[in-house]
Amino acid sequence: MIPQTKIIATVGPACLMPDILQKLVAAGVTIFRLNCSHIGPSDLPTVFKLVRELEAPEPFRTISVFLDLPGPKFRINQPEKPINLKESDEVTLKISSDKSAPTSLHLSALPNLTFLKEASKIVMDDGKIVLQVLQLVSDIEVKVTVIKGGEIKSRKGIDFVDATPPVPDITESDLVFLDLAKQLKPDAIAISFVRSAEQVRKIKRMLGQDAPLIISKIERREALDQIEEIVDESDGIMVARGDLALSLPLEKTPKVQRRLIELANDKAKFVIIATQMLSSMVTNPIPTRAEVTDVYHAVSQGADCVMLSDETAVGAHPVEAVSVMKKIIVEASSEFNFDNYKTRLKSLGTTSISDATAYAAAAACFKLGTKALVCCTTSGYSVRLVSRYRPAAPILGFTREPEVARKINFYWGANSVVANFAATSDREERDRAFNEIVYKLSLTPGDRVIILGGLQTFKIGSTSILEIREVE
Ligand code: PEP
């Protein structure tokens, strides 16, 4: 059984072998993340192919893949040997590729450091090291003092907590991956460090028609300032808690997570909760109690997907991490408070026929205890609308396009059946969908199924028919 909240696994050396990838799928993964910060453009096609090949023709085994663009992540460009920084040490940060001066830390990919001010905070290695600016020495050099020390290794990330570096909306390396995406055709693309809705629009324009789904990673304070518009412009969002917690006071991240989940649910956009969900499983075979509670809460709050990062990319127990995550999801889903969820959806006043049909279908599911809610869909739109109402039966997208089936996979509770025929009328389409579902789910007499369709078969956004059928 595929859990209602989907499991995303990040691909990395710990799982990049066909047998391990197969085991991850068997344990419950339906979506893979290829993190372009760690997979170079020359390796990406091979890794992509390996993951695509996991998709089996057997029923309900749709596997989706998305590319996570690097975005403007700054890294320390440091020498071979790690450097140890102690509290109160004074060092220089410099934009330069010359690594010979031992007392300087070298940065790349930034035009200047003039955006920094005296007392600006700089964090390195996910907050393990904290520096504070003492003085701007020149446009490309600042003197800093060490607030929290530690060992600096080359290529570790660096974040500017209270200052915004001057960066283009689309970086050079993002452009390379976007070009590759046009050939590879991933199901979604995640944009890192989104700052504005315009940035999302630019990337969508570049991808053109038949574009993958767009996931905006919310990990900067600036994104929160125009979050409604960013969510409207995106197909889904990722609460990228790793960098988000560097950009905000740490204790504010749970509230922001809850707010982002609610906003995405309201707008019928999917929401992914990411980072450190089962972090201790990178080394340990079992998670901490706190991690179990974190995953449980993300599911209870209404997440569409939960994501594993290092746990599956570089961890010692990738398959176990997925198995544990699935067990927590199943438990949390069995106790999901549908009444609370529905009362907090803000925009229940529907404005479209499709949305009203989706709402009625979800309500009928609760009343009748139907075995499935089938959406005959061309683009996946009706699945998205239905998923928002969290019906009490599996949602099945019945579509002719495998590409659409893979996109449907990102939405809560939704799976797909790929139809291998072209119906000539809406009636025929619903009949075929019903027969196929009865067969695939081994339904028996008395079982009920809801089928959604449109009068204008294959016209996007035309869902207006709700049919309730009983197996004879
Ligand atoms: C994060 O910051 O939480 C995140 C998912 O982004 P990345 O892993 O790309 O740094």
Side-chain angles (χ1 to χ4, degrees), residues 33 35 37 68 73 192 217 219 238 240-244 274-275 307:
R33 169 173 85 133
N35 189 350
S37 297
D68 193 340
K73 179 104 183 170
S192 293
K217 288 172 71 183
E219 46 192 340
M238 182 193 292
R241 304 184 303 183
D243 284 290
L244 186 64
T275 306
M307 191 170 104

Side-chain angles (χ1 to χ4, degrees), residues 7 23-24 26-29 278 281 308 312 317-330:
I7 301 176
K23 283 185 185 161
L24 295 186
V29 172
L278 296 175
M281 290 193 80
L308 293 165
T312 49
H317 310 283
V319 182
E320 291 79 356
V322 175
S323 302
V324 166
M325 196 163 228
K326 182 170 166 183
K327 280 191 200 153
I328 307 168
I329 295 172
V330 170

Side-chain angles (χ1 to χ4, degrees), residues 83 85 89-93 102-105 131 134 142-146:
I83 293 184
L85 291 181
D89 276 357
E90 287 185 14
V91 278
T92 313
L93 269 182
T103 54
S104 291
L105 301 172
L131 312 172
L134 289 176
V142 288
K143 196 183 244 190
V144 297
T145 181
V146 178

